[in-house]
Amino acid sequence: MGTGKFVTVYPGQWTEREKPYAEEYFAKIKELEDRGPIDVQALISGKIEKGTQGFSNILEVKEDMMLYNAKKYDPENKLYQDDEYAKSLGYKAKIAMPAFAAHDDSFLTAFNGKARDFLAVTGLHHEIEQLAPVYAGDTLYLVKDKLELIDLTPETGSIYRNLVLKTTGSVYNQNGEKVLEVLFSARENLKSYEDPADMGDQRGWESPDWWTRPEHYYTDEEWQSIFDTWAAENYRGDEILYWEDVNIGDMPNVTIDGPIHASCNPTPPYGMAVGGSRTMKELADPAVRAKMTRDPKFGVYVPEDMKEWDPEVPPYDDPRAKMGPPPGAGGPPPKEIKRSIFINFLGRDFAIHHINNWAGSHSWIQNIRWGIMTHPTEQGFDFPKNTAVSEMIEKIPAMAGKKCNTHGLQYDVMKIHSQVYDKYEKDGEHFVELGFWITTINDDEIYEEGGATIKLPSRES
């Protein structure tokens, strides 16, 4: 057996084990650079085969999947559900939610796992630029445009190879129109034993211990605060929010979704995942609560038929189906296991609902960005900052000095706060910048951060 020591690595100095996989990654970077902008018409006509470097995936947009997501995350929004209403606003028909086709794993390119023994992934940061509507019946082509690898390993050396991986890409429809631009980025932290024999049969995945945060029991008083927050939601809908009426520092009404008993599951090639639970706002009615069971450990209400909580997933072609049962309705897991984590998509999609509540149907979410596991220092993982991405929480006046310091877990609520931190005109259009952050029922436990660039009508237009 070896000493149990880990290899010390230095920036730009690849070990013999790492070197071939670093060369492999840099070759992918160069291949995209040499390709230049993709030939969109060749792509659509089938002259470029799926799987060719840079051409990641095809998505057929189905109406039932569009509606499934809209009803789960933004059920009052007619723009996502009603053709005639959408036409009255100038669209061809109802549109998909902004993130529908931005599938992260079709873009983000991992460093080869053979280069390390252990991997800790933190510092996720993703962005979607919404350039044009997506409609039912569209065929979408997901294309990588650029890969970047940034080595943030400290000059003094570290047992972790700290890599920032960043992919930018485009999504085109069947008419050759670019409907989305995307950015996906993550911090991969690689660690290896000096003696490979020390690895044994250990699992090579490292994670901050998010479960040190105590489990929470929802009291009657907290449930009443949830009901009060629901009652105070101001769904703007048809009422126009004019750019001139927005002020820097404005804080839209807080929204709460949950408690969430199950996260959604990544679902290639969709940018919005399936499975998981919706908000059962009918719980505000005492008669509805009386028909449910109250979990003694968490204080959440559980319906007799979990399909009430987990909307039925439409049929879809899941390329991972052979890996296990598809996600869908089901009861809470056994209480002796750790609470499951929320994937990053989940907070983003409820944040879209929060934004639409405030901005209304006459607005346009030009950009939506979000991140998780930004600062896991409290859990013992002090990695270099992801320098490849823009600041989010730091731009929000109300968040001065605060950090995204935990992870969303089963039975947490999605308590979404936001604040306007900028407004401006550009090319004759009017925009506001809105930062948001997601907390547990206790406002100081932040587990997701983000922001949105929102185009609003102007009285001068």
XYZ file of all heavy atoms in Angstrom, residues 154-218:
539
model
N -3.521 27.197 -7.594
C -2.620 28.222 -7.032
C -1.164 28.014 -7.445
O -0.711 26.875 -7.597
C -2.789 28.038 -5.519
C -4.120 27.371 -5.360
C -4.287 26.495 -6.559
N -0.436 29.117 -7.606
C 0.977 29.056 -7.988
C 1.795 28.273 -6.972
O 2.800 27.647 -7.319
C 1.544 30.483 -8.112
C 0.963 31.299 -9.255
C 1.489 30.856 -10.611
O 2.506 30.127 -10.631
O 0.899 31.241 -11.638
N 1.373 28.312 -5.726
C 2.109 27.618 -4.665
C 1.860 26.111 -4.661
O 2.484 25.387 -3.896
C 1.712 28.186 -3.297
O 0.273 28.143 -3.172
C 2.173 29.625 -3.166
N 0.950 25.655 -5.511
C 0.638 24.234 -5.590
C -0.533 23.853 -4.713
O -0.864 24.527 -3.730
N -1.204 22.784 -5.093
C -2.386 22.327 -4.367
C -2.602 20.849 -4.664
O -2.153 20.341 -5.692
C -3.613 23.129 -4.814
O -4.812 22.576 -4.307
N -3.288 20.147 -3.759
C -3.653 18.762 -4.064
C -4.854 18.715 -5.008
O -5.195 17.649 -5.504
C -3.949 17.938 -2.787
C -5.135 18.532 -2.019
C -2.706 17.829 -1.921
C -5.595 17.659 -0.857
N -5.470 19.875 -5.258
C -6.572 19.950 -6.226
C -6.110 20.678 -7.486
O -5.491 21.745 -7.408
C -7.758 20.721 -5.647
C -8.583 19.936 -4.669
C -8.412 20.122 -3.298
C -9.535 19.019 -5.111
C -9.177 19.408 -2.386
C -10.306 18.297 -4.201
C -10.121 18.490 -2.842
O -10.878 17.780 -1.956
N -6.383 20.076 -8.626
C -6.286 20.778 -9.898
C -7.601 21.530 -10.074
O -8.665 20.929 -10.250
C -6.093 19.796 -11.047
C -6.169 20.407 -12.431
C -4.931 21.186 -12.800
N -3.773 20.293 -12.907
C -2.513 20.712 -12.991
N -2.246 22.018 -12.972
N -1.521 19.837 -13.083
N -7.557 22.855 -9.977
C -8.768 23.678 -10.043
C -8.974 24.167 -11.471
O -8.237 25.032 -11.941
C -8.658 24.877 -9.106
C -8.366 24.492 -7.666
O -7.374 24.909 -7.096
N -9.229 23.685 -7.072
N -9.959 23.598 -12.152
C -10.231 23.940 -13.537
C -11.603 24.591 -13.660
O -12.582 24.098 -13.080
C -10.209 22.690 -14.426
C -8.909 21.895 -14.472
C -9.088 20.661 -15.365
C -7.758 22.751 -14.976
N -11.676 25.676 -14.407
C -12.957 26.235 -14.815
C -13.200 25.821 -16.260
O -12.361 26.076 -17.130
C -12.978 27.768 -14.689
C -14.197 28.344 -15.397
C -13.001 28.169 -13.222
N -14.302 25.148 -16.490
C -14.704 24.738 -17.830
C -15.877 25.611 -18.256
O -16.833 25.789 -17.497
C -15.103 23.266 -17.844
C -14.074 22.296 -17.258
C -14.607 20.872 -17.307
C -12.743 22.393 -17.992
N -15.791 26.131 -19.465
C -16.810 27.067 -19.939
C -17.130 26.762 -21.393
O -16.213 26.645 -22.217
C -16.295 28.502 -19.789
C -17.224 29.594 -20.298
C -16.570 30.958 -20.086
C -17.399 32.091 -20.668
N -16.732 33.406 -20.491
N -18.412 26.632 -21.690
C -18.853 26.410 -23.071
C -19.897 27.456 -23.429
O -20.842 27.684 -22.665
C -19.478 25.017 -23.246
O -18.575 24.021 -22.791
C -19.805 24.763 -24.713
N -19.722 28.084 -24.586
C -20.770 28.938 -25.130
C -21.336 28.263 -26.372
O -20.634 27.528 -27.071
C -20.232 30.336 -25.480
O -19.066 30.206 -26.286
C -19.875 31.109 -24.237
N -22.612 28.484 -26.611
C -23.248 27.802 -27.727
C -24.472 28.523 -28.235
O -24.867 29.586 -27.715
N -25.092 27.936 -29.259
C -26.258 28.522 -29.913
C -27.313 27.452 -30.145
O -26.989 26.274 -30.296
C -25.867 29.138 -31.262
O -24.852 30.107 -31.121
N -28.557 27.887 -30.175
C -29.678 27.009 -30.521
C -30.397 27.648 -31.702
O -30.813 28.816 -31.640
C -30.644 26.827 -29.338
C -31.815 25.937 -29.745
C -29.912 26.241 -28.133
N -30.528 26.883 -32.815
C -31.174 27.361 -34.030
C -32.471 26.595 -34.252
O -32.572 25.407 -33.905
C -30.265 27.135 -35.245
C -28.951 27.866 -35.185
C -27.820 27.263 -34.637
C -28.833 29.161 -35.679
C -26.599 27.935 -34.583
C -27.621 29.841 -35.642
C -26.512 29.224 -35.081
O -25.307 29.889 -35.031
N -33.448 27.257 -34.861
C -34.674 26.538 -35.225
C -34.608 26.063 -36.675
O -33.602 26.262 -37.372
C -35.918 27.388 -34.954
C -36.004 28.639 -35.829
O -35.353 28.751 -36.868
N -36.834 29.593 -35.407
N -35.665 25.426 -37.134
C -35.700 24.812 -38.466
C -35.615 25.837 -39.591
O -35.348 25.477 -40.747
C -36.962 23.956 -38.628
C -38.263 24.723 -38.702
C -38.775 25.183 -37.333
O -38.161 24.903 -36.300
N -39.903 25.865 -37.331
N -35.800 27.112 -39.261
C -35.692 28.173 -40.267
C -34.303 28.805 -40.301
O -34.075 29.760 -41.048
C -36.737 29.259 -39.989
C -38.148 28.712 -40.024
O -38.498 27.918 -40.900
N -38.965 29.100 -39.057
N -33.398 28.277 -39.477
C -32.054 28.830 -39.420
C -31.930 30.036 -38.520
O -30.883 30.684 -38.475
N -32.998 30.343 -37.796
C -32.989 31.486 -36.889
C -32.366 31.082 -35.561
O -32.728 30.054 -34.977
C -34.428 31.971 -36.666
C -34.560 33.177 -35.773
C -36.014 33.581 -35.578
O -36.915 32.767 -35.857
O -36.243 34.727 -35.153
N -31.442 31.883 -35.069
C -30.866 31.616 -33.749
C -31.858 32.085 -32.686
O -32.208 33.267 -32.619
C -29.529 32.335 -33.575
C -28.824 31.983 -32.262
C -27.607 32.843 -31.998
C -26.466 32.535 -32.928
N -25.212 33.209 -32.476
N -32.324 31.146 -31.858
C -33.321 31.491 -30.847
C -32.710 31.655 -29.456
O -33.277 32.371 -28.627
C -34.458 30.450 -30.818
C -35.235 30.465 -32.128
C -33.933 29.044 -30.528
N -31.588 31.008 -29.211
C -30.932 31.116 -27.909
C -29.422 31.190 -28.081
O -28.856 30.562 -28.984
C -31.235 29.902 -27.012
C -32.666 29.559 -26.641
C -32.697 28.270 -25.833
C -33.319 30.689 -25.860
N -28.790 31.937 -27.200
C -27.357 31.818 -26.971
C -27.183 31.363 -25.529
O -27.914 31.809 -24.640
C -26.643 33.155 -27.197
C -26.580 33.575 -28.648
C -25.859 34.899 -28.844
O -25.572 35.579 -27.831
O -25.599 35.256 -30.004
N -26.231 30.463 -25.292
C -26.097 29.888 -23.957
C -24.646 29.937 -23.497
O -23.712 29.973 -24.307
C -26.602 28.432 -23.909
C -28.061 28.349 -24.331
C -25.742 27.513 -24.769
N -24.484 29.953 -22.187
C -23.186 29.815 -21.541
C -23.356 28.852 -20.383
O -24.244 29.048 -19.540
C -22.687 31.164 -21.043
C -21.332 31.235 -20.328
C -20.771 32.646 -20.401
C -21.405 30.814 -18.850
N -22.529 27.822 -20.343
C -22.534 26.892 -19.220
C -21.119 26.780 -18.674
O -20.161 26.598 -19.437
C -23.054 25.518 -19.639
C -24.518 25.516 -19.983
C -24.940 25.549 -21.301
C -25.477 25.513 -18.986
C -26.281 25.576 -21.617
C -26.832 25.534 -19.292
C -27.234 25.565 -20.613
N -20.998 26.900 -17.361
C -19.675 26.886 -16.757
C -19.722 26.181 -15.407
O -20.715 26.269 -14.676
C -19.154 28.317 -16.569
O -17.899 28.319 -15.931
N -18.640 25.475 -15.085
C -18.527 24.805 -13.794
C -17.067 24.767 -13.383
O -16.157 24.823 -14.218
C -19.091 23.389 -13.864
N -16.865 24.657 -12.092
C -15.521 24.523 -11.536
C -15.307 23.045 -11.209
O -15.975 22.483 -10.354
C -15.433 25.393 -10.282
C -14.075 25.505 -9.639
C -14.111 26.586 -8.546
N -15.218 26.386 -7.624
C -15.802 27.355 -6.914
N -15.395 28.599 -7.043
N -16.793 27.093 -6.081
N -14.392 22.396 -11.933
C -14.036 21.000 -11.658
C -12.741 20.981 -10.854
O -11.742 21.592 -11.246
C -13.854 20.205 -12.952
C -15.154 19.848 -13.642
C -14.989 18.727 -14.652
O -13.841 18.290 -14.879
O -16.014 18.290 -15.209
N -12.768 20.261 -9.756
C -11.620 20.185 -8.859
C -11.171 18.735 -8.777
O -11.888 17.870 -8.258
C -12.012 20.729 -7.485
C -12.628 22.118 -7.584
O -11.944 23.105 -7.744
N -13.956 22.177 -7.516
N -9.988 18.448 -9.323
C -9.493 17.081 -9.505
C -8.414 16.768 -8.471
O -7.562 17.628 -8.175
C -8.898 16.909 -10.900
C -9.814 16.857 -12.129
C -10.694 18.090 -12.266
C -8.965 16.713 -13.391
N -8.428 15.554 -7.953
C -7.454 15.145 -6.936
C -7.087 13.683 -7.158
O -7.951 12.864 -7.476
C -8.060 15.355 -5.540
C -7.124 15.073 -4.380
C -7.749 15.482 -3.049
C -8.850 14.532 -2.611
N -9.361 14.833 -1.257
N -5.794 13.357 -6.990
C -5.340 11.983 -7.230
C -4.316 11.558 -6.181
O -3.521 12.378 -5.698
C -4.702 11.860 -8.617
O -5.637 12.121 -9.633
N -4.341 10.263 -5.852
C -3.329 9.702 -4.959
C -1.984 9.616 -5.669
O -1.906 9.416 -6.887
C -3.736 8.298 -4.513
C -4.794 8.254 -3.441
C -6.050 7.716 -3.704
C -4.530 8.731 -2.153
C -7.025 7.647 -2.715
C -5.498 8.669 -1.165
C -6.742 8.132 -1.456
O -7.700 8.070 -0.472
N -0.920 9.724 -4.873
C 0.409 9.470 -5.430
C 0.527 8.010 -5.853
O 1.101 7.696 -6.905
C 1.490 9.812 -4.405
C 1.661 11.304 -4.167
C 2.790 11.608 -3.203
O 3.337 10.655 -2.593
O 3.153 12.794 -3.060
N -0.007 7.129 -5.030
C 0.001 5.697 -5.328
C -1.416 5.278 -5.713
O -2.322 5.304 -4.869
C 0.467 4.899 -4.109
C 0.595 3.410 -4.380
O 0.092 2.945 -5.434
O 1.184 2.700 -3.544
N -1.667 4.902 -6.971
C -3.016 4.528 -7.407
C -3.651 3.430 -6.557
O -4.881 3.356 -6.458
C -2.800 4.053 -8.844
C -1.548 4.733 -9.292
C -0.681 4.830 -8.071
N -2.840 2.611 -5.925
C -3.385 1.514 -5.112
C -4.167 2.026 -3.911
O -5.023 1.323 -3.356
C -2.249 0.599 -4.638
N -3.888 3.263 -3.505
C -4.597 3.819 -2.353
C -6.075 4.085 -2.645
O -6.871 4.238 -1.717
C -3.933 5.129 -1.912
C -2.603 4.892 -1.201
O -2.447 3.812 -0.613
O -1.740 5.779 -1.253
N -6.426 4.164 -3.914
C -7.799 4.464 -4.269
C -8.726 3.332 -3.864
O -9.854 3.561 -3.400
C -7.912 4.736 -5.776
C -9.297 5.175 -6.229
S -9.775 6.736 -5.473
C -11.460 6.885 -6.032
N -8.276 2.100 -4.023
C -9.105 0.954 -3.661
C -10.457 1.019 -4.337
O -10.564 1.320 -5.524
N -11.517 0.738 -3.574
C -12.866 0.757 -4.155
C -13.651 1.995 -3.722
O -14.875 2.003 -3.715
C -13.627 -0.514 -3.764
C -13.768 -0.672 -2.251
O -13.221 0.183 -1.505
O -14.407 -1.650 -1.815
N -12.937 3.062 -3.377
C -13.618 4.288 -2.989
C -14.376 4.885 -4.168
O -14.003 4.706 -5.326
C -12.602 5.334 -2.500
C -11.838 4.940 -1.262
C -10.839 6.020 -0.893
O -11.205 7.033 -0.300
N -9.585 5.817 -1.248
N -15.444 5.606 -3.857
C -16.178 6.337 -4.888
C -15.459 7.650 -5.149
O -15.099 8.365 -4.216
C -17.616 6.601 -4.423
C -18.490 7.293 -5.457
C -19.942 7.296 -4.981
N -20.801 7.958 -5.956
C -21.214 9.221 -5.855
N -20.826 9.957 -4.827
N -22.008 9.751 -6.764
N -15.251 7.965 -6.415
C -14.434 9.114 -6.761
C -15.158 10.441 -6.808
O -14.720 11.355 -7.517
N -16.252 10.568 -6.087
C -17.033 11.815 -6.106
C -16.942 12.478 -4.742
O -17.221 11.856 -3.717
C -18.483 11.528 -6.443
C -19.356 12.753 -6.487
C -20.150 13.219 -5.481
C -19.501 13.674 -7.574
N -20.793 14.373 -5.879
C -20.412 14.673 -7.164
C -18.964 13.746 -8.862
C -20.785 15.730 -7.993
C -19.340 14.799 -9.686
C -20.238 15.773 -9.246
N -16.528 13.745 -4.729
C -16.484 14.497 -3.478
C -17.557 15.575 -3.504
O -17.812 16.182 -4.551
C -15.117 15.161 -3.299
C -14.005 14.185 -2.992
C -12.750 14.921 -2.546
O -12.342 15.879 -3.231
O -12.182 14.517 -1.526
N -18.155 15.794 -2.367
C -19.199 16.812 -2.277
C -19.099 17.517 -0.940
O -18.827 16.875 0.088
C -20.584 16.163 -2.401
O -21.605 17.105 -2.108
N -19.302 18.825 -0.921
C -19.447 19.494 0.375
C -20.573 18.823 1.174
O -21.551 18.348 0.597
C -19.813 20.928 -0.014
C -19.264 21.104 -1.398
C -19.420 19.768 -2.056
N -20.421 18.799 2.462
C -21.432 18.157 3.306
C -22.567 19.145 3.566
O -22.629 19.792 4.604
C -20.810 17.681 4.619
C -21.779 16.820 5.430
O -22.919 16.607 4.941
O -21.411 16.370 6.516
N -23.476 19.216 2.581
C -24.600 20.133 2.709
C -25.551 19.726 3.827
O -26.364 20.537 4.287
C -25.379 20.174 1.389
C -24.534 20.462 0.192
C -24.276 19.623 -0.849
C -23.824 21.675 -0.107
N -23.459 20.225 -1.782
C -23.160 21.493 -1.351
C -23.685 22.902 0.555
C -22.381 22.475 -1.926
C -22.904 23.885 -0.043
C -22.267 23.668 -1.263
N -25.453 18.480 4.288
C -26.423 17.936 5.233
C -26.103 18.291 6.681
O -26.794 17.854 7.594
C -26.516 16.428 5.042
C -27.038 16.100 3.678
C -28.334 15.930 3.302
C -26.262 15.956 2.479
N -28.430 15.690 1.961
C -27.172 15.703 1.418
C -24.906 16.025 2.186
C -26.753 15.507 0.102
C -24.485 15.836 0.874
C -25.396 15.576 -0.155
N -25.048 19.114 6.874
C -24.804 19.609 8.228
C -25.876 20.615 8.632
O -26.064 20.873 9.820
C -23.418 20.278 8.322
O -23.326 21.311 7.335
C -22.303 19.258 8.097
N -26.554 21.168 7.635
C -27.673 22.073 7.943
C -28.814 21.254 8.530
O -29.277 20.291 7.911
C -28.111 22.806 6.674
C -29.334 23.678 6.858
C -29.440 24.743 5.774
N -29.474 24.209 4.424
C -30.578 23.811 3.797
N -31.754 23.845 4.413
N -30.520 23.377 2.553
N -29.308 21.608 9.685
C -30.330 20.779 10.345
C -31.610 20.645 9.522
O -31.992 21.563 8.793
C -30.610 21.533 11.649
C -29.407 22.393 11.873
C -28.907 22.764 10.507
N -32.254 19.509 9.643
C -33.571 19.337 9.040
C -34.549 20.306 9.690
O -34.405 20.664 10.859
C -34.045 17.899 9.217
C -33.168 16.896 8.467
C -33.525 15.453 8.787
O -34.226 15.226 9.797
O -33.096 14.567 8.043
N -35.542 20.716 8.929
C -36.449 21.751 9.407
C -37.867 21.208 9.530
O -38.357 20.518 8.630
C -36.439 22.943 8.441
C -37.251 24.099 8.929
N -36.744 25.022 9.817
C -38.535 24.471 8.680
C -37.678 25.925 10.083
N -38.781 25.602 9.409
N -38.519 21.547 10.627
C -39.935 21.224 10.819
C -40.752 22.491 10.609
O -40.487 23.529 11.228
C -40.184 20.675 12.224
C -41.637 20.327 12.465
C -42.126 19.067 12.132
C -42.525 21.267 13.001
C -43.475 18.743 12.327
C -43.867 20.957 13.196
C -44.335 19.695 12.850
O -45.660 19.377 13.035
N -41.741 22.427 9.712
C -42.583 23.584 9.413
C -43.699 23.693 10.443
O -44.594 22.844 10.515
C -43.146 23.487 7.999
C -42.078 23.647 6.947
C -41.383 22.551 6.457
C -41.723 24.911 6.479
C -40.376 22.700 5.518
C -40.719 25.073 5.541
C -40.045 23.959 5.066
O -39.037 24.113 4.145
